Amino acid sequence: MACSNIIVTGGAGFIGSNFVHWVVDNQPGVHVTVLDALTYAGNKENLAGIPEERMTFVHGDICDAALLEGLVPDADAIVHFAAESHNDNSIADPAPFIRTNVEGTFQLLEAARKHGTRFHHISTDEVYGDLALDDPARFTEETPYHPSSPYSSSKASSDLLVRAWHRTYGVPITISNCSNNYGPRQHIEKFIPRQITNILCGIRPKLYGDGQNVRDWIHTEDHSSAVWTILTKGQLGETYLIGADGERNNLDVLRAILERMGKEPDDFDWVRDRPGHDRRYAIDSAKLQRELGWRPQHTDFSLGLDDTIRWYADNEDWWRSAKDAVEAKYAAQGQ
């Protein structure tokens, strides 16, 4: 479908802002309206450099039905990134996750239903629970849901709402469930940027549990191109998994960061594990590649990691003011 005017919820966050940059850089005829509440994870600076004529920024809450009524009628599509997304925070206080991820998705779906607006929902592989470390299987679109945390449960709930609004009301939807994104502009509470900024600050990095937990990493630019492909070519009502065959355990990722930043591979501290910590995620993106012709471009994790380290080193003003508070919060949790 043609999309010349899209709403991107959560467009000042990590993967949302990277998607906005990707669209502006690669789709010259598209205007983007960013709707973001600018919670701690949203940063308007993430949108710096985007020409004013290509983007409109709206500071607001996706739960605000009246606000949505003023935006959605003029849009060809809603691309829904907005979410509370940090597992540790969901364990400490689940309430914001239910409000944003469930109620917020409901309000957006109601607006899309009223105006017949195309709706693409960004979700996570965490809705599927986890896999055993020695299991050769990977998640597919047919994998049963088995969420482990308040965060993943709230995302599973929102996925089910999206499917119900398609089946019951005919809302033109697609869903994508993605593996762990990495790249520039990611909040420093997350695994890779926390380790990088710790080293830049002279703080010894910390690693949960035994470090064997496996995540399936994808560069955020590859995620952005996949989302656009699904938005414009995907079959309505379908779910597509986005991944780039990037399985690595946390210990190996941390050691790669340490070595690239001139440190010894064991120059870190072990800390107690997160409650209910999922062991392994792994995405099979064969359906997306086979049916829509998408392919990842950033398949060399080492190069992507080098670029990410360079970005945080070159953009200290972007993250420095939040660093002390993030580390104080983790210290209070013994992590």
Side-chain angles (χ1 to χ4, degrees), residues 120-121 123-124 127-128 140-142 145 159 162-163 173-178 230 234-242 284 287-288 291-292:
H120 180 69
H121 180 58
S123 191
T124 172
V127 299
Y128 300 114
T140 74
E141 289 81 2
E142 306 306 318
Y145 276 26
D159 291 7
V162 174
R163 291 197 180 100
I173 67 94
T174 45
I175 298 172
S176 57
N177 297 80
C178 189
I230 297 166
Q235 181 72 31
L236 296 182
E238 290 295 310
T239 294
Y240 299 89
L241 268 58
I242 304 174
D284 183 346
K287 176 180 175 179
L288 172 61
E291 295 186 7
L292 305 186

Side-chain angles (χ1 to χ4, degrees), residues 78-258:
I78 299 167
V79 187
H80 179 32
F81 287 89
E84 294 283 348
S85 65
H86 192 50
N87 263 310
D88 290 336
N89 293 348
S90 82
I91 294 167
D93 181 11
F97 292 75
I98 304 305
R99 182 179 186 276
T100 298
N101 300 353
V102 180
E103 182 185 348
T105 301
F106 161 73
Q107 294 293 353
L108 288 163
L109 285 167
E110 284 290 88
R113 174 163 77 104
K114 181 175 181 180
H115 298 286
T117 308
R118 173 78 169 86
F119 188 93
H120 180 69
H121 180 58
I122 308 296
S123 191
T124 172
D125 57 359
E126 296 188 40
V127 299
Y128 300 114
D130 61 351
L131 299 162
L133 294 180
D134 59 355
D135 186 349
R138 295 188 290 174
F139 298 137
T140 74
E141 289 81 2
E142 306 306 318
T143 301
Y145 276 26
H146 193 226
S148 305
S149 69
Y151 160 59
S152 56
S153 297
S154 70
K155 290 299 289 184
S157 300
S158 65
D159 291 7
L160 296 177
L161 288 176
V162 174
R163 291 197 180 100
W165 259 243
H166 174 70
R167 178 165 177 170
T168 303
Y169 303 117
V171 175
I173 67 94
T174 45
I175 298 172
S176 57
N177 297 80
C178 189
S179 56
N180 288 57
N181 277 231
Y182 75 100
R185 307 182 188 93
Q186 188 172 25
H187 194 281
I188 57 171
E189 69 184 2
K190 300 290 186 155
F191 181 72
I192 286 179
R194 187 184 180 206
Q195 313 304 352
I196 293 169
T197 56
N198 274 349
I199 296 168
L200 291 171
C201 291
I203 302 169
R204 279 171 65 89
K206 297 174 177 60
L207 187 62
Y208 285 122
D210 61 7
Q212 296 305 305
N213 305 72
V214 171
R215 299 296 177 257
D216 192 350
W217 295 98
I218 183 172
H219 194 281
T220 186
E221 286 195 5
D222 281 335
H223 181 255
S224 295
S225 70
V227 168
W228 183 261
T229 299
I230 297 166
L231 178 67
T232 55
K233 299 180 181 178
Q235 181 72 31
L236 296 182
E238 290 295 310
T239 294
Y240 299 89
L241 268 58
I242 304 174
D245 299 324
E247 285 188 65
R248 283 170 177 78
N249 70 46
N250 289 345
L251 178 59
D252 288 345
V253 172
L254 176 54
R255 283 176 167 162
I257 293 169
L258 285 162

Side-chain angles (χ1 to χ4, degrees), residues 25-75:
D25 291 343
N26 293 278
Q27 304 297 329
V30 177
H31 182 271
V32 180
T33 298
V34 171
L35 173 59
D36 200 293
L38 295 180
T39 61
Y40 78 97
N43 185 347
K44 200 172 178 182
E45 288 300 309
N46 288 345
L47 301 167
I50 295 177
E52 290 185 10
E53 66 272 15
R54 297 294 309 281
M55 184 192 75
T56 301
F57 181 81
V58 178
H59 182 197
D61 189 336
I62 59 172
C63 294
D64 185 342
L67 175 62
L68 297 179
E69 182 59 29
L71 298 176
V72 173
D74 296 326

